[in-house]
Every structure is written in C-alpha cells, then in structure tokens.
Amino acid sequence: MKILVVGGTGFLGAELVRQAAAHGHVVAATYFTRPGAAAEAGWRSLDVRDRADVARLVAEVAPDVVVNAAYVQSDWVTTAVGAANVAVETAGVRLVQVSSDAVFSGAAVTYAEDAVPDPDSPYGAAKAAAEVAAQTVNPTAVIARTSLIIGDGGSPHEALVHTLASGDRPGILFTDDVRCPVHVADLAAGLLELADSGRAGVHHLAGTDALSRYELGLLIARRDGIDPARLPSGTRADAGLAGRRDVRLDCGLTQRHLKTRLRGAREFLSGE
C-alpha cells in the first residue's frame, strides 16, 4: 500500500512510519515545522488547518490509505478543523482517524465502542468533532480511540515522570485520574492492521490495565531505575481541578478482530 501518515513527526506518527516501512509499504509522512528522522518516508510539509494545502498534498501523493494522527491538544483548529479537512480531501480513500478516550467524561467509567461521546474538555470536544467529521464525509473510515500512549522511554508521560523525579519541574501525578495505557508499538500495529482491513466505524485500542497516572508513574520509575519515593502524588482537587476522572476503554470487540495483542502496562513495563 501507499500510506500517508498525517502527523508523522509525533510520537505515534513516527512509530507508524517505522512499522509501515518495515512491512514494505510506500510511506509518505507529513510535518509542520521540520521533517522527521526516518529516511524510509517521503517527508511532506503540511498545515492541516489549510484545506487547500491538504488537497494539494493528497493529489500529489495519491495514497491508498491515510492515517491521521495529527493534533494539538490546546488547538481546536488543528485537532477538529484539521481532521475535517483531511476527511473531506480524502473522500473515497481509506481513512483511519486517530481519536482519544478524552471524548468521554468518565461518568460511566467503562466505555464500549458504541458509547456516545460526552466530552467535558475542549480537547475532548475537538476529538469528538473530528470523529463526526470523518464519519460523515467518509462512512467507511475507521475511528480509532486510544488512551495514554507509552513507549520505551520516548513518550511525554515517561518524560514527565523523569522530570518530576529529578525535581526539575513542579507538579504531581494524580492518584484519581485513571486510564488504560497502551504501548505505542501495539497501537501502531493495530492501526495498520485496521487500515489494511475491511472494517469501518469506531474501534477501541487501549491496554488491558486500568491505572492511575501515579500508578503508571511508579511502573515507569521502577523500569528506569528511579526511586519511586521521589514521585510526587496527589488528587485532581489538590491541583484545583474537578474530582476523580476514570475513563476505561472496553476494547474487547476490537481485540477479537485484531491479530495484534494490546498489552496492559503492567506487562509491557514490568513483565508481569
């Protein structure tokens, strides 16, 4: 396949590029400020906020599959309007839109693929809008919701654990903010598997373990030889935020259709 990874310089995007190229696909990937490091990809500049720029790139690349992993958490236009631009300009092309568990408030705690989004944050609302745009324009699109993405040292949450433990920045890891972390390699493999399938609609790709951000931090610290006692912990209320937030993606239906196994964080961080 000829695969276009939109947002190819991000943590997930870079892994998508690596795996797609390793499987023999022709890979084009986009960047906003500077190209990524992977020599296997044909790097293309793109501003997803500019529909004409999206149209130009899609016409030049002529991809068989587009995986949209581009977002800026604090920017509605990039996350929501950008996704709509990608969806419109790739109508008739296989589309995988990466979404997030942020589309849910946590009121129900556990969410299956048919759960109706009820975002309570601007980022969650932007991701929910991106889902609607993708499905409206391209009914065969895959909407792939995921959770905290962890790797072998390169993710933002792993970097946060290190900086908090070193005292280089203030902050706490919440004991009452629960997610289902996924390994970036598992997520990328699952996304590429869905891209090469005939499946459509909403799919959940998250890990099997529900952990608080603090519990996740402890696992990362132990793996990396950091004294867990150095990690500051507290509640969302301690940080002046709304109370407990517990969002668990039920991935059972999706997992039954995937060869890729979505591991839990206890397994991929500590071998349990």
Side-chain angles (χ1 to χ4, degrees):
M1 295 186 297
K2 182 183 290 185
I3 298 178
L4 172 62
V5 179
V6 179
T9 56
F11 183 57
L12 172 59
E15 181 64 16
L16 284 165
V17 168
R18 187 193 70 79
Q19 289 195 25
H23 289 140
H25 300 302
V26 177
V27 184
T30 74
Y31 66 91
F32 183 59
T33 54
R34 58 180 180 272
E40 303 92 338
W43 290 99
R44 301 297 193 97
S45 173
L46 177 67
D47 184 349
V48 294
R49 300 169 299 180
D50 183 342
R51 182 173 164 185
D53 200 27
V54 177
R56 171 197 58 78
L57 179 65
V58 172
E60 290 176 358
V61 174
D64 301 307
V65 173
V66 175
V67 181
N68 183 22
Y71 76 98
V72 175
Q73 196 164 74
S74 60
D75 183 10
W76 172 277
V77 178
T78 298
T79 305
V81 178
N85 289 338
V86 171
V88 168
E89 297 304 331
T90 58
V93 177
R94 181 72 170 154
L95 173 64
V96 178
Q97 170 64 45
V98 180
S99 190
S100 166
D101 58 6
V103 301
F104 298 121
S105 69
V109 180
T110 302
Y111 294 86
E113 283 91 342
D114 60 355
V116 178
D118 62 339
D120 61 355
S121 69
Y123 173 62
K127 278 296 192 181
E131 291 187 6
V132 171
Q135 288 187 296
T136 300
V137 175
N138 190 339
T140 65
V142 169
I143 307 299
R145 295 181 186 137
T146 191
S147 188
L148 293 178
I149 307 174
I150 307 299
D152 298 321
S155 72
H157 194 80
E158 290 164 283
L160 174 63
V161 168
H162 280 253
T163 56
L164 289 176
S166 68
D168 288 343
R169 61 169 286 181
I172 59 175
L173 294 174
F174 296 134
T175 58
D176 58 351
D177 193 327
V178 178
R179 295 292 191 279
C180 296
V182 65
H183 196 283
V184 65
D186 297 348
L187 176 57
L191 291 171
L192 292 173
E193 192 176 336
L194 287 171
D196 197 24
S197 74
R199 301 196 60 77
V202 175
H203 292 72
H204 285 179
L205 292 89
T208 54
D209 296 328
L211 300 169
S212 71
R213 290 180 183 266
Y214 178 62
E215 290 171 320
L216 178 61
L218 293 177
L219 290 174
I220 293 168
R222 291 178 182 127
R223 181 199 66 184
D224 295 347
I226 297 171
D227 181 0
R230 297 186 61 84
L231 293 181
S233 63
T235 65
R236 290 173 59 85
D238 293 335
L241 300 174
R244 179 177 178 83
R245 183 175 174 84
D246 190 338
V247 179
R248 310 181 187 204
L249 295 182
D250 180 350
C251 305
L253 181 61
T254 297
Q255 183 64 88
R256 286 196 290 274
H257 295 284
L258 289 179
K259 294 179 182 177
T260 302
R261 188 168 68 87
L262 302 168
R263 297 169 291 167
R266 290 188 180 91
E267 178 181 347
F268 65 71
L269 287 172
S270 61
E272 291 184 15

